[in-house]
Amino acid sequence: MKKIRLMIFLMLGVLLFSKSTIAQDNITTFKDCNECPEMVIIPKGKVNIGSYKEEIGRKKGERDRVLATIDKAFAMAKTEVTLAQYRVFMKETKYKSNIPYYKGEPLVGCNYFDGKSYGYVAVHNWQNPGYPQRESDPVVCVSYTDAKAYADWLSSKTGRNYRVPSAVEFEYASRAGSSSPWYWGTDPSKACEYANIGDKTFAHKFPTRTSFPCTDGYVFTTKVGRFQPNNFGLYDMIGNAWEWTADCFKKDLTNIPVDGSTYIGTEEECKARTPKGGSWISGISWSRAAVRSRDGTDYKSFMLGFRVAAEITNN
C-alpha cells in the first residue's frame, strides 16, 4: 500500500510540474507537458544584431549592424529539440516527411559529408544521420517543413502557440545582450567552453576543414545542454546543430524589419528558409551570432536541426 501511495504521489508531482513555471537565478522556465521542450522566458529589449564589415569571419550575405527591438517577451526552447523528443512526435503523429527535389530528381535520405564532398545518402535519416547519436543529442536530418510540423503538433497538444523562431528572434536570444561575435565574447579559443563546434577533435577526423583553436572533445553532435549557457539560460545557440528559422531567405536584408517578426517574402524567396547558429562542423566564419545560411524548405542535412519558440502571456 505504501508503494502505491508513493507512486500516486510521484505521478501527481509530474502532472503538476508539467504546467509549472520555475524561476532560477532570474531565468524563468516552463514545460507544458512531460515530453515538451523546456522553455525559457526571453525578456523584451534591444540588442545590436548583424555584423561589422571588419568582424572576424564575416560573410557577404550577413546583415549590416542594426539595433533590433523586441517589444514583447516570448519563450525559446532551452535546448535544441532532441532525438527523444522528436521520436515522441513521430510516434504519435505517424508524420511523413516531404522528399525534396533538385533539377527534377528526388533527393532521398539526408545530405552527408564524407570528408571530401557532400551528397544525399538514401539510407540516412533523422534516426540514422550517418554517425551515432544519443537520445539526448539534437535531432538532425529534419527539414524546415518537419520543424514546423513539430511546432504545430506542440500547439495542438498544449493549446499554446508554438512555432519555429524568426531569424531576428534567434539572434536576439543567442546574443543575450552581447554585441560580440559570440555570446561568450570575442575570443575564439574560449569557444569549446560554450559550444560543440569544429574544434581540434573534429579537425583530427576532417583535416581539410578549418577549426577553432580549442578542444571540445566531440566530432559530431553531443548531448544538448552539455556546455555553458548564455546569459538568457539558453544552450547551444552556437554549434551542435544548425537550426532552422522561419524567415524566407532574402539576399538583401537592408530594409527587412528587426522587430522579431518573421520575414515572409515572395514565393521564390519562401522556397528557402534561413538556418542560423552553426554546428559541430562549423569553423569560426560559420558559427557566429550574425551568420546565416540558405536551405530549401524540404532540405535535410546531417548537421541541421531546430528548436521552437512560443507565445507567452502577461509580458
Side-chain angles (χ1 to χ4, degrees):
M1 181 62 72
K2 288 183 179 180
K3 289 184 177 180
I4 293 174
R5 284 200 297 267
L6 178 60
M7 289 178 63
I8 292 173
F9 175 78
L10 291 173
M11 289 173 66
L12 285 172
V14 169
L15 290 171
L16 288 170
F17 174 74
S18 67
K19 281 287 185 179
S20 67
T21 299
I22 305 168
Q24 296 178 334
D25 299 326
N26 298 319
I27 295 170
T28 302
T29 69
F30 66 86
K31 287 185 72 171
D32 280 329
C33 67
N34 212 27
E35 60 272 23
C36 293
E38 184 174 5
M39 306 298 291
V40 178
I41 304 298
I42 306 301
K44 61 185 178 181
K46 299 181 180 181
V47 74
N48 285 308
I49 63 172
S51 57
Y52 295 111
K53 287 182 172 57
E54 64 273 15
E55 183 169 302
I56 184 173
R58 189 179 198 264
K59 296 292 184 181
K60 185 178 180 180
E62 290 176 23
R63 188 192 301 269
D64 289 335
R65 205 69 161 171
V66 64
L67 184 66
T69 301
I70 306 298
D71 288 328
K72 183 181 179 182
F74 63 99
M76 184 77 87
K78 179 181 281 191
T79 69
E80 297 142 327
V81 172
T82 66
L83 186 60
Q85 289 167 338
Y86 195 77
R87 194 182 301 282
V88 174
F89 158 69
M90 293 295 285
K91 184 177 180 179
E92 286 194 11
T93 64
K94 311 301 181 187
Y95 172 77
K96 299 295 184 184
S97 182
N98 294 338
I99 296 176
Y101 281 77
Y102 179 71
K103 295 183 178 180
E105 296 295 324
L107 297 174
V108 179
C110 182
N111 202 17
Y112 182 77
F113 178 67
D114 62 6
K116 295 180 180 179
S117 61
Y118 287 91
Y120 263 72
V121 179
V123 296
H124 289 177
N125 54 45
W126 66 271
Q127 297 183 91
N128 171 29
Y131 52 87
Q133 283 193 303
R134 310 158 190 81
E135 289 292 292
S136 56
D137 280 23
V139 65
V140 293
C141 286
V142 287
S143 67
Y144 167 75
T145 308
D146 300 340
K148 184 178 183 304
Y150 178 89
D152 290 345
W153 169 71
L154 283 179
S155 298
S156 63
K157 188 179 184 70
T158 66
R160 188 189 298 274
N161 181 21
Y162 282 85
R163 52 189 170 74
V164 180
S166 73
V168 172
E169 283 178 326
F170 189 93
E171 186 169 341
Y172 175 85
S174 175
R175 289 185 176 281
S178 168
S179 61
S180 52
W182 305 283
Y183 44 80
W184 59 85
T186 59
D187 187 352
S189 69
K190 292 187 176 181
C192 296
E193 299 175 28
Y194 295 85
N196 173 24
I197 35 70
D199 68 321
K200 291 181 180 179
T201 310
F202 162 83
H204 183 73
K205 183 174 179 61
F206 298 105
T208 63
R209 307 282 299 197
T210 58
S211 62
F212 280 82
C214 62
T215 301
D216 63 38
Y218 303 97
V219 176
F220 302 108
T221 59
T222 189
K223 176 183 177 180
V224 301
R226 186 180 291 277
F227 298 90
Q228 293 187 43
N230 68 9
N231 287 336
F232 283 160
L234 300 173
Y235 294 83
D236 304 312
M237 294 297 287
I238 298 291
N240 220 9
W242 277 94
E243 299 182 37
W244 287 106
T245 72
D247 283 38
C248 300
F249 185 87
K250 187 173 181 62
K251 188 174 181 180
D252 183 3
L253 296 175
T254 304
N255 297 313
I256 302 304
V258 289
D259 58 359
S261 57
T262 297
Y263 174 70
I264 303 299
T266 65
E267 182 179 353
E268 186 62 29
E269 287 172 337
C270 290
K271 290 180 180 179
R273 302 288 162 150
T274 310
K276 287 184 69 67
S279 75
W280 54 267
I281 201 173
S282 303
I284 290 172
S285 62
W286 282 110
S287 55
R288 295 168 295 106
V291 78
R292 63 179 186 141
S293 186
R294 179 190 184 280
D295 289 303
T297 55
D298 290 323
Y299 171 77
K300 301 178 183 72
S301 168
F302 74 150
M303 58 176 142
L304 179 51
F306 71 102
R307 78 179 69 208
V308 292
E311 301 299 325
I312 59 173
T313 56
N314 301 322
N315 60 89

Short mmCIF file of all heavy atoms in Angstrom, two decimals, residues 1-34:
data_model
loop_
_atom_site.label_atom_id
_atom_site.label_comp_id
_atom_site.label_asym_id
_atom_site.label_seq_id
_atom_site.Cartn_x
_atom_site.Cartn_y
_atom_site.Cartn_z
N MET A 1 0.83 -1.20 0.00
CA MET A 1 0.00 0.00 0.00
C MET A 1 0.88 1.26 0.00
O MET A 1 0.59 2.24 -0.66
CB MET A 1 -0.93 0.00 1.23
CG MET A 1 -1.86 1.22 1.30
SD MET A 1 -2.98 1.32 -0.10
CE MET A 1 -4.09 -0.03 0.30
N LYS A 2 1.99 1.23 0.79
CA LYS A 2 2.89 2.37 0.82
C LYS A 2 3.48 2.65 -0.56
O LYS A 2 3.63 3.79 -0.98
CB LYS A 2 4.01 2.13 1.83
CG LYS A 2 3.55 2.21 3.28
CD LYS A 2 4.74 2.02 4.21
CE LYS A 2 4.31 2.13 5.67
NZ LYS A 2 5.47 1.94 6.59
N LYS A 3 3.83 1.56 -1.29
CA LYS A 3 4.38 1.72 -2.63
C LYS A 3 3.36 2.35 -3.57
O LYS A 3 3.70 3.18 -4.41
CB LYS A 3 4.84 0.37 -3.18
CG LYS A 3 6.09 -0.18 -2.50
CD LYS A 3 6.54 -1.45 -3.16
CE LYS A 3 7.83 -1.98 -2.54
NZ LYS A 3 8.28 -3.23 -3.18
N ILE A 4 2.08 1.95 -3.42
CA ILE A 4 1.03 2.50 -4.28
C ILE A 4 0.86 3.99 -4.01
O ILE A 4 0.76 4.81 -4.93
CB ILE A 4 -0.30 1.75 -4.06
CG1 ILE A 4 -0.16 0.32 -4.56
CG2 ILE A 4 -1.45 2.47 -4.76
CD1 ILE A 4 -1.36 -0.54 -4.26
N ARG A 5 0.83 4.36 -2.70
CA ARG A 5 0.69 5.78 -2.35
C ARG A 5 1.87 6.60 -2.88
O ARG A 5 1.71 7.72 -3.35
CB ARG A 5 0.57 5.92 -0.83
CG ARG A 5 -0.80 5.53 -0.28
CD ARG A 5 -1.02 6.13 1.10
NE ARG A 5 -0.06 5.63 2.07
CZ ARG A 5 -0.27 4.58 2.86
NH1 ARG A 5 -1.42 3.90 2.77
NH2 ARG A 5 0.64 4.20 3.72
N LEU A 6 3.08 6.03 -2.80
CA LEU A 6 4.26 6.72 -3.30
C LEU A 6 4.18 6.94 -4.80
O LEU A 6 4.50 8.02 -5.31
CB LEU A 6 5.52 5.92 -2.95
CG LEU A 6 6.86 6.50 -3.46
CD1 LEU A 6 7.08 7.89 -2.87
CD2 LEU A 6 8.02 5.57 -3.10
N MET A 7 3.73 5.91 -5.52
CA MET A 7 3.60 6.04 -6.98
C MET A 7 2.59 7.11 -7.34
O MET A 7 2.80 7.90 -8.27
CB MET A 7 3.19 4.69 -7.59
CG MET A 7 4.31 3.65 -7.56
SD MET A 7 3.77 2.05 -8.23
CE MET A 7 3.43 2.53 -9.92
N ILE A 8 1.45 7.15 -6.63
CA ILE A 8 0.43 8.15 -6.89
C ILE A 8 0.98 9.55 -6.63
O ILE A 8 0.78 10.49 -7.41
CB ILE A 8 -0.83 7.91 -6.03
CG1 ILE A 8 -1.52 6.62 -6.47
CG2 ILE A 8 -1.79 9.08 -6.11
CD1 ILE A 8 -2.66 6.18 -5.57
N PHE A 9 1.75 9.71 -5.53
CA PHE A 9 2.35 10.99 -5.20
C PHE A 9 3.31 11.46 -6.29
O PHE A 9 3.29 12.62 -6.71
CB PHE A 9 3.08 10.86 -3.87
CG PHE A 9 3.85 12.10 -3.47
CD1 PHE A 9 3.18 13.19 -2.93
CD2 PHE A 9 5.22 12.18 -3.64
CE1 PHE A 9 3.87 14.33 -2.57
CE2 PHE A 9 5.91 13.31 -3.30
CZ PHE A 9 5.25 14.39 -2.76
N LEU A 10 4.15 10.53 -6.78
CA LEU A 10 5.10 10.88 -7.82
C LEU A 10 4.41 11.25 -9.12
O LEU A 10 4.80 12.19 -9.81
CB LEU A 10 6.06 9.71 -8.07
CG LEU A 10 7.05 9.41 -6.93
CD1 LEU A 10 7.81 8.12 -7.22
CD2 LEU A 10 8.01 10.57 -6.73
N MET A 11 3.33 10.52 -9.46
CA MET A 11 2.59 10.83 -10.68
C MET A 11 1.94 12.20 -10.59
O MET A 11 1.94 12.98 -11.56
CB MET A 11 1.52 9.76 -10.93
CG MET A 11 2.11 8.41 -11.35
SD MET A 11 0.86 7.12 -11.44
CE MET A 11 -0.13 7.73 -12.81
N LEU A 12 1.37 12.54 -9.43
CA LEU A 12 0.77 13.86 -9.25
C LEU A 12 1.83 14.96 -9.35
O LEU A 12 1.58 16.02 -9.94
CB LEU A 12 0.08 13.93 -7.88
CG LEU A 12 -1.25 13.19 -7.76
CD1 LEU A 12 -1.72 13.18 -6.30
CD2 LEU A 12 -2.31 13.81 -8.65
N GLY A 13 3.01 14.67 -8.84
CA GLY A 13 4.08 15.65 -8.92
C GLY A 13 4.47 15.94 -10.36
O GLY A 13 4.70 17.08 -10.74
N VAL A 14 4.54 14.89 -11.19
CA VAL A 14 4.86 15.06 -12.60
C VAL A 14 3.80 15.90 -13.29
O VAL A 14 4.08 16.80 -14.07
CB VAL A 14 5.02 13.70 -13.30
CG1 VAL A 14 5.08 13.88 -14.81
CG2 VAL A 14 6.27 12.99 -12.80
N LEU A 15 2.52 15.59 -13.01
CA LEU A 15 1.42 16.33 -13.64
C LEU A 15 1.43 17.80 -13.24
O LEU A 15 1.21 18.69 -14.06
CB LEU A 15 0.08 15.68 -13.27
CG LEU A 15 -0.19 14.32 -13.90
CD1 LEU A 15 -1.45 13.70 -13.29
CD2 LEU A 15 -0.34 14.44 -15.41
N LEU A 16 1.69 18.07 -11.96
CA LEU A 16 1.73 19.45 -11.51
C LEU A 16 2.90 20.19 -12.12
O LEU A 16 2.79 21.35 -12.53
CB LEU A 16 1.84 19.48 -9.98
CG LEU A 16 0.57 19.07 -9.21
CD1 LEU A 16 0.90 18.92 -7.73
CD2 LEU A 16 -0.54 20.09 -9.41
N PHE A 17 4.05 19.53 -12.23
CA PHE A 17 5.23 20.18 -12.79
C PHE A 17 5.07 20.49 -14.27
O PHE A 17 5.58 21.50 -14.76
CB PHE A 17 6.46 19.28 -12.60
CG PHE A 17 7.68 19.81 -13.27
CD1 PHE A 17 8.37 20.89 -12.75
CD2 PHE A 17 8.12 19.26 -14.46
CE1 PHE A 17 9.48 21.39 -13.39
CE2 PHE A 17 9.23 19.76 -15.10
CZ PHE A 17 9.91 20.82 -14.55
N SER A 18 4.33 19.65 -14.99
CA SER A 18 4.25 19.80 -16.43
C SER A 18 3.64 21.12 -16.86
O SER A 18 3.86 21.58 -17.96
CB SER A 18 3.44 18.65 -17.06
OG SER A 18 2.09 18.73 -16.67
N LYS A 19 2.89 21.77 -15.99
CA LYS A 19 2.31 23.06 -16.31
C LYS A 19 2.87 24.16 -15.40
O LYS A 19 2.31 25.22 -15.26
CB LYS A 19 0.78 23.00 -16.16
CG LYS A 19 0.07 22.34 -17.34
CD LYS A 19 0.08 23.25 -18.55
CE LYS A 19 -0.74 22.64 -19.69
NZ LYS A 19 -0.77 23.52 -20.87
N SER A 20 4.00 23.88 -14.78
CA SER A 20 4.52 24.82 -13.79
C SER A 20 5.48 25.82 -14.43
O SER A 20 5.95 25.63 -15.54
CB SER A 20 5.24 24.07 -12.67
OG SER A 20 6.41 23.46 -13.18
N THR A 21 5.74 26.88 -13.71
CA THR A 21 6.74 27.86 -14.10
C THR A 21 7.75 27.96 -12.98
O THR A 21 7.39 28.13 -11.82
CB THR A 21 6.08 29.23 -14.34
OG1 THR A 21 5.14 29.10 -15.41
CG2 THR A 21 7.11 30.27 -14.71
N ILE A 22 9.03 27.86 -13.30
CA ILE A 22 10.08 27.82 -12.30
C ILE A 22 11.07 28.95 -12.57
O ILE A 22 11.56 29.09 -13.68
CB ILE A 22 10.83 26.47 -12.33
CG1 ILE A 22 9.83 25.33 -12.17
CG2 ILE A 22 11.91 26.42 -11.27
CD1 ILE A 22 10.42 23.99 -12.48
N ALA A 23 11.36 29.75 -11.56
CA ALA A 23 12.33 30.83 -11.70
C ALA A 23 13.63 30.43 -11.02
O ALA A 23 13.62 30.06 -9.86
CB ALA A 23 11.79 32.12 -11.09
N GLN A 24 14.74 30.47 -11.74
CA GLN A 24 16.04 30.12 -11.19
C GLN A 24 17.06 31.16 -11.63
O GLN A 24 17.30 31.32 -12.83
CB GLN A 24 16.47 28.72 -11.64
CG GLN A 24 15.57 27.61 -11.14
CD GLN A 24 16.02 26.25 -11.66
OE1 GLN A 24 16.64 26.16 -12.70
NE2 GLN A 24 15.71 25.21 -10.93
N ASP A 25 17.65 31.86 -10.65
CA ASP A 25 18.68 32.86 -10.95
C ASP A 25 18.20 33.84 -12.02
O ASP A 25 18.90 34.11 -13.00
CB ASP A 25 19.97 32.16 -11.41
CG ASP A 25 20.56 31.26 -10.34
OD1 ASP A 25 20.43 31.61 -9.15
OD2 ASP A 25 21.12 30.22 -10.70
N ASN A 26 17.01 34.36 -11.83
CA ASN A 26 16.40 35.35 -12.74
C ASN A 26 16.06 34.77 -14.12
O ASN A 26 15.79 35.52 -15.05
CB ASN A 26 17.32 36.57 -12.90
CG ASN A 26 17.53 37.30 -11.59
OD1 ASN A 26 16.60 37.47 -10.81
ND2 ASN A 26 18.76 37.73 -11.34
N ILE A 27 16.13 33.46 -14.26
CA ILE A 27 15.73 32.80 -15.50
C ILE A 27 14.46 32.01 -15.23
O ILE A 27 14.43 31.17 -14.33
CB ILE A 27 16.86 31.88 -16.01
CG1 ILE A 27 18.09 32.72 -16.39
CG2 ILE A 27 16.38 31.06 -17.22
CD1 ILE A 27 19.32 31.89 -16.67
N THR A 28 13.42 32.29 -15.97
CA THR A 28 12.13 31.63 -15.76
C THR A 28 11.88 30.61 -16.86
O THR A 28 12.00 30.92 -18.04
CB THR A 28 10.99 32.67 -15.75
OG1 THR A 28 11.24 33.63 -14.73
CG2 THR A 28 9.65 31.99 -15.48
N THR A 29 11.56 29.39 -16.46
CA THR A 29 11.31 28.32 -17.43
C THR A 29 9.97 27.68 -17.18
O THR A 29 9.39 27.82 -16.10
CB THR A 29 12.41 27.23 -17.34
OG1 THR A 29 12.27 26.53 -16.10
CG2 THR A 29 13.80 27.84 -17.43
N PHE A 30 9.48 26.97 -18.19
CA PHE A 30 8.24 26.21 -18.02
C PHE A 30 8.22 25.04 -18.99
O PHE A 30 8.95 25.03 -20.00
CB PHE A 30 7.00 27.09 -18.24
CG PHE A 30 6.83 27.62 -19.64
CD1 PHE A 30 6.17 26.88 -20.62
CD2 PHE A 30 7.33 28.87 -19.98
CE1 PHE A 30 6.01 27.36 -21.92
CE2 PHE A 30 7.18 29.36 -21.28
CZ PHE A 30 6.51 28.61 -22.25
N LYS A 31 7.41 24.04 -18.68
CA LYS A 31 7.14 22.92 -19.58
C LYS A 31 5.63 22.72 -19.63
O LYS A 31 4.97 22.64 -18.60
CB LYS A 31 7.81 21.64 -19.08
CG LYS A 31 9.31 21.61 -19.25
CD LYS A 31 9.89 20.26 -18.85
CE LYS A 31 9.55 19.19 -19.87
NZ LYS A 31 10.28 17.92 -19.63
N ASP A 32 5.09 22.63 -20.83
CA ASP A 32 3.65 22.47 -20.99
C ASP A 32 3.20 21.02 -20.95
O ASP A 32 2.01 20.74 -20.85
CB ASP A 32 3.19 23.11 -22.30
CG ASP A 32 3.06 24.62 -22.18
OD1 ASP A 32 2.74 25.10 -21.09
OD2 ASP A 32 3.29 25.33 -23.19
N CYS A 33 4.13 20.09 -21.06
CA CYS A 33 3.80 18.67 -20.92
C CYS A 33 5.09 17.93 -20.62
O CYS A 33 6.20 18.48 -20.77
CB CYS A 33 3.12 18.13 -22.18
SG CYS A 33 4.15 18.06 -23.66
N ASN A 34 4.96 16.70 -20.21
CA ASN A 34 6.13 15.93 -19.79
C ASN A 34 7.16 15.77 -20.90
O ASN A 34 8.36 15.82 -20.67
CB ASN A 34 5.68 14.56 -19.28
CG ASN A 34 6.58 14.02 -18.19
OD1 ASN A 34 7.20 14.79 -17.46
ND2 ASN A 34 6.65 12.71 -18.07
#
